[in-house]
Amino acid sequence: MVKAEYWHEKSAEQGNSDAQYFLGEFYYYGDAVERERAKYWFEKSVKQSNTIQTLLYLATLYYDGGDYKKAKYWWEKTAEWGNAEAQNNLGYIYFYGKGVEIDYEEAFYWTVKAATSSWVSSVEAQYRLSEMYEKGLGVPRDYDKAKYWREKADAQKKEEAE
């Protein structure tokens, strides 16, 4: 992998967005020092090419590093393009108040988008939506809708396990 890393770095330094993305992904799965290098290369790549996956990696790196404001910024960019993973993450941060004030209406807005998408892993959003309806968080309490979303999540979770 050393040669591949070397040539990708040479290419990335010359402004090749694909090479910058590759290095970002390569370092993303490393230790804390490498994750800082991943952030460096993803930030370079995103200036030239706003691919959804680059934005998701960048947001996650900021979130994991405790910079919720920057994570939110990149997830919003991605969510606006209809990415359900980013929508789910925005629902999560508003629901739990990660870097923002708890805002159940905003959490509901993003959670509905994620829960109703065709995204494979929308189970988390569906469970959160069930809880919001059950407890009346951001929406009027509605036990029928809470049950609907819980059953939908349970069914999807069972499908994924099979």
Side-chain angles (χ1 to χ4, degrees):
M1 188 64 163
V2 174
K3 274 190 176 181
E5 181 183 358
Y6 172 82
W7 288 112
H8 275 92
E9 191 149 335
K10 286 287 185 197
S11 183
E13 287 169 352
Q14 293 176 10
N16 182 300
S17 179
D18 291 335
Q20 292 165 346
Y21 172 83
F22 172 83
L23 285 172
E25 189 174 43
F26 177 73
Y27 292 126
Y28 180 84
Y29 294 102
D31 61 25
V33 173
E34 288 181 330
R35 288 177 68 89
E36 284 303 310
R37 291 177 78 184
K39 194 184 305 178
Y40 171 82
W41 287 113
F42 282 137
E43 286 174 343
K44 285 212 168 274
S45 178
V46 82
K47 289 177 184 174
Q48 299 176 66
S49 171
N50 287 336
T51 67
I52 288 175
Q53 195 58 48
T54 303
L55 298 176
L56 288 172
Y57 276 133
L58 199 50
T60 301
L61 285 165
Y62 279 118
Y63 183 86
D64 290 348
D67 192 340
Y68 303 126
K69 190 174 186 175
K70 283 188 180 175
K72 177 180 166 278
Y73 172 80
W74 292 114
W75 279 329
E76 284 174 340
K77 291 268 187 211
T78 311
E80 289 167 4
W81 292 344
N83 181 271
E85 183 177 353
Q87 293 165 345
N88 180 56
N89 292 339
L90 287 170
Y92 178 89
I93 65 172
Y94 280 109
F95 188 82
Y96 292 105
K98 295 287 187 175
V100 296
E101 292 292 321
I102 290 175
D103 184 337
Y104 293 123
E105 289 177 12
E106 194 70 14
F108 180 79
Y109 173 80
W110 290 112
T111 301
V112 166
K113 286 185 170 292
T116 57
S117 76
S118 60
W119 181 42
V120 175
S121 297
S122 59
V123 171
E124 180 184 337
Q126 292 167 351
Y127 278 126
R128 188 177 324 110
L129 201 51
S130 173
E131 182 180 357
M132 294 178 86
Y133 276 117
E134 185 178 333
K135 295 178 179 176
L137 301 173
V139 294
R141 181 173 282 161
D142 187 326
Y143 293 115
D144 291 333
K145 288 182 181 176
K147 181 181 176 191
Y148 168 81
W149 285 107
R150 187 173 33 263
E151 288 174 351
K152 187 171 177 80
D154 287 343
Q156 185 172 337
K157 192 173 180 182
K158 183 179 177 185
E159 280 179 31
E160 288 177 7
E162 293 175 350

